[in-house]
Amino acid sequence: MRIGVYGGTFNPPHLGHITAARAVFDLLKLDKLLLIPTGRPPHKQLPEGSPTPEQRLEMTQLMAEETGVETEVLDLEIHREGRSYTSDTLARLHEQYPNDELWLLMGTDMFLTLQDWHAPEEILSLAGVAAFGRTEADTEELFAVQRDYLSGAYPQARIFTLTVPGVVDVSSTELRERLRLGQGGTLLAPRVYGYILRHGLYGVSSDMKHLPLERLRPVALTYLHHRRMPHVLGTESEAVRLAERWGGGDSKLIQKARRAALLHDCTKRLDMEEQKALCAEYGIELDPLEQREIKLLHAKTGAAIAESIFGEPPEIVDAIRWHTTGRADMTLLEKIIYLADYIEPTRHFPGVEDLRRRCYEDLDGGLLMGLEMTVDEMVERGSPIHRATLEARDWLKGQRHRDEE
Ligand code: DGI
Ligand code: FE
Ligand code: FE
């Protein structure tokens, strides 16, 4: 196996890291990438709002999920006491992967000072070096001299230099400054940005109430398991289409639909115990069915979080609260969220195409169809049907009956 080893402070991890890692991964045909955030720098006074080593580790983990290649984040330097030497880390990795080829990834500055690191000879005998420059000039002019020097001084060295096309040209120092000024979010993986906003790192405000959409979106994504991201973004785009179709040009409705969609499953990753703890915290009362059906709980706890943490207004909170079951007398926004969740583009189940078509021809017809499909599914599975689901269905049936008279 060929393994890439990419260490750094990752303070914060950004798109520059991702692009560089991916380029090396492809060019060297790596099988796996290890990201290794460094530990606390000894005797270094960190500015206020600096993340702890554990927070840098968590952000690196969030970034790792976005690389699109086999990536693992290692905490071996984070937890090591005192100074961390790359040579020690490589020795450890060599023990763990005795038959594999290690390649150390590094940017320009690191590459140009490699001979000054602790035990360069050992580093170069344990791993090949993959150095990436930001520009062609970096790589060709600067790197050629250093490459020749290292090859002369350390005959065992394997050195590979490359220009990373389209590498995000930003230093972490600049990026931290931009974040402090409320910018720079586009240079980060969405969930890394969300994590920074959520924890108020680098001097950004950690008040989560009434965030503008560009901030709400990344923060909302940090509440999800990464596998659920496409579903939630799909629900957002579907909700916008439904609001455009049925909202009569009401642009506020579109904004509300986006916010409700982004937050609708924000507690979905929590287990039963955590759901119950939130219910206790927010005074949510549960009927006997809700006591044991976790699927029914996340809508209620999600509504509580939307209200208390994000300061969302009642209409958005209700759309979240009723997104799983529906209810009698649903508002337009509630219908949109219920159905967007059901038919968004990543949903695949028999009948979804019919349901999609119906939703754009006749909203209430689509809603009734969705509710009836859920009831049928519950019956088939032998799951008890929630009262609100039945009430929603009966309300729509009654309404259609009245319309026909
Ligand atoms: O959270 P999502 O998976 O995106 O979707 P959702 O919130 O609509 O949840 C769907 C699940 O909820 C699905 O497995 C069926 C279940 N569900 C919906 N209505 C009822 C229900 N489960 C029971 N027991 N009773 C219901 O009335
Ligand atoms: Fe849900
Ligand atoms: Fe959902």
Side-chain angles (χ1 to χ4, degrees):
M1 221 173 25
R2 279 189 170 184
I3 302 173
V5 179
Y6 194 2
T9 46
F10 296 118
N11 185 25
H14 54 69
L15 295 188
H17 298 121
I18 296 187
T19 4
R22 238 188 241 155
V24 176
F25 199 95
D26 291 344
L27 277 164
L28 287 182
K29 303 205 178 359
L30 300 178
D31 300 291
K32 188 189 180 102
L33 181 67
L34 305 177
L35 297 177
I36 311 182
T38 54
R40 195 187 302 277
H43 319 299
K44 203 166 165 189
Q45 206 57 40
L46 295 174
E48 212 181 317
S50 293
T52 63
E54 287 71 22
Q55 287 176 321
R56 283 190 290 108
L57 183 72
E58 285 185 63
M59 287 191 282
T60 309
Q61 187 65 56
L62 290 172
M63 178 183 79
E65 289 160 4
E66 308 289 312
T67 58
V69 298
E70 168 84 20
T71 308
E72 202 180 313
V73 180
L74 302 185
D75 62 2
L76 85 178
E77 292 196 8
I78 291 276
H79 295 309
R80 196 183 293 161
E81 288 291 320
R83 257 191 120 83
S84 281
Y85 291 119
T86 302
S87 53
D88 295 342
T89 300
L90 287 175
R92 287 269 295 276
L93 292 174
H94 181 65
E95 272 170 37
Q96 197 182 337
Y97 299 100
N99 303 314
D100 298 309
E101 209 175 289
L102 300 176
W103 283 88
L104 194 59
L105 278 65
M106 64 184 72
T108 311
D109 299 355
M110 293 291 148
F111 180 60
L112 294 179
T113 56
L114 191 55
Q115 66 280 5
D116 304 329
W117 294 17
H118 177 76
E121 199 169 334
E122 211 179 316
I123 292 173
L124 290 163
S125 65
L126 287 165
V129 167
F132 40 86
R134 286 180 187 165
T135 63
E136 195 77 26
D138 255 11
T139 317
E140 285 317 309
E141 292 157 31
L142 280 172
F143 281 15
V145 179
Q146 174 72 345
R147 193 173 46 211
D148 293 348
Y149 163 71
L150 289 173
S151 304
Y154 308 97
Q156 78 278 33
R158 285 166 294 151
I159 297 167
F160 184 90
T161 60
L162 69 153
T163 311
V164 178
V167 71
V168 179
D169 200 3
V170 68
S171 75
S172 296
T173 317
E174 269 171 46
L175 181 53
R176 289 194 295 271
E177 180 60 19
R178 287 210 214 170
L179 287 168
R180 207 174 55 74
L181 301 171
Q183 306 155 353
T186 52
L187 300 169
L188 298 159
R191 293 207 303 162
V192 173
Y193 186 43
Y195 186 99
I196 290 168
L197 294 169
R198 204 172 151 180
H199 293 90
L201 301 176
Y202 308 112
V204 307
S205 162
S206 59
D207 183 2
M208 308 287 253
K209 292 213 164 52
H210 316 293
L211 292 176
L213 206 55
E214 320 73 77
R215 288 183 168 224
L216 178 67
R217 189 177 298 107
V219 171
L221 294 178
T222 66
Y223 279 70
L224 307 172
H225 191 286
H226 72 101
R227 282 196 305 266
R228 189 162 281 274
M229 280 172 53
H231 163 64
V232 166
L233 293 172
T235 305
E236 184 192 3
S237 63
E238 195 72 52
V240 169
R241 282 191 291 277
L242 286 167
E244 282 170 344
R245 173 71 181 87
W246 299 109
D250 179 355
S251 62
K252 290 220 179 83
L253 180 72
I254 296 174
Q255 293 304 303
K256 290 175 203 159
R258 284 187 185 277
R259 301 181 76 86
L262 287 168
L263 292 170
H264 85 281
D265 277 340
C266 67
T267 56
K268 186 82 178 186
R269 72 184 293 174
L270 305 183
D271 64 20
M272 197 62 173
E273 198 181 322
E274 294 166 318
Q275 297 284 357
K276 292 258 171 88
L278 279 183
C279 291
E281 188 179 339
Y282 290 106
I284 299 170
E285 291 183 7
L286 300 175
D287 64 31
L289 177 56
E290 289 162 349
Q291 295 276 0
R292 55 198 167 83
E293 282 283 340
I294 190 164
K295 286 187 173 151
L296 298 172
L297 283 185
H298 78 284
K300 297 195 135 187
T301 51
I305 295 292
E307 181 173 25
S308 63
I309 308 278
F310 293 96
E312 295 299 336
E315 38 186 343
I316 290 178
V317 171
D318 281 338
I320 297 170
R321 181 174 294 121
W322 301 106
H323 87 264
T324 302
T325 58
R327 65 162 164 172
D329 302 313
M330 288 170 84
T331 64
L332 176 57
L333 183 63
E334 288 167 17
K335 294 173 186 176
I336 286 171
I337 296 304
Y338 179 91
L339 288 173
D341 183 31
Y342 218 131
I343 63 170
E344 56 87 12
T346 73
R347 293 285 200 203
H348 299 287
F349 54 86
V352 69
E353 281 307 330
D354 283 346
L355 181 59
R356 282 192 182 117
R357 209 169 315 115
R358 179 68 70 86
C359 288
Y360 286 88
E361 285 163 11
D362 169 8
L363 187 68
D364 284 347
L367 187 58
L368 180 55
M369 191 171 164
L371 287 159
E372 286 182 327
M373 285 167 86
T374 299
V375 170
D376 290 348
E377 195 192 320
M378 294 296 111
V379 170
E380 213 168 284
R381 266 201 250 161
S383 294
I385 302 160
H386 193 266
R387 174 173 49 77
T389 305
L390 295 171
E391 285 169 6
R393 184 198 59 182
D394 295 343
W395 160 65
L396 279 168
K397 270 188 163 170
Q399 196 180 50
R400 296 181 90 70
H401 189 67
R402 280 190 298 280
D403 287 350
E404 278 158 22
E405 273 171 4

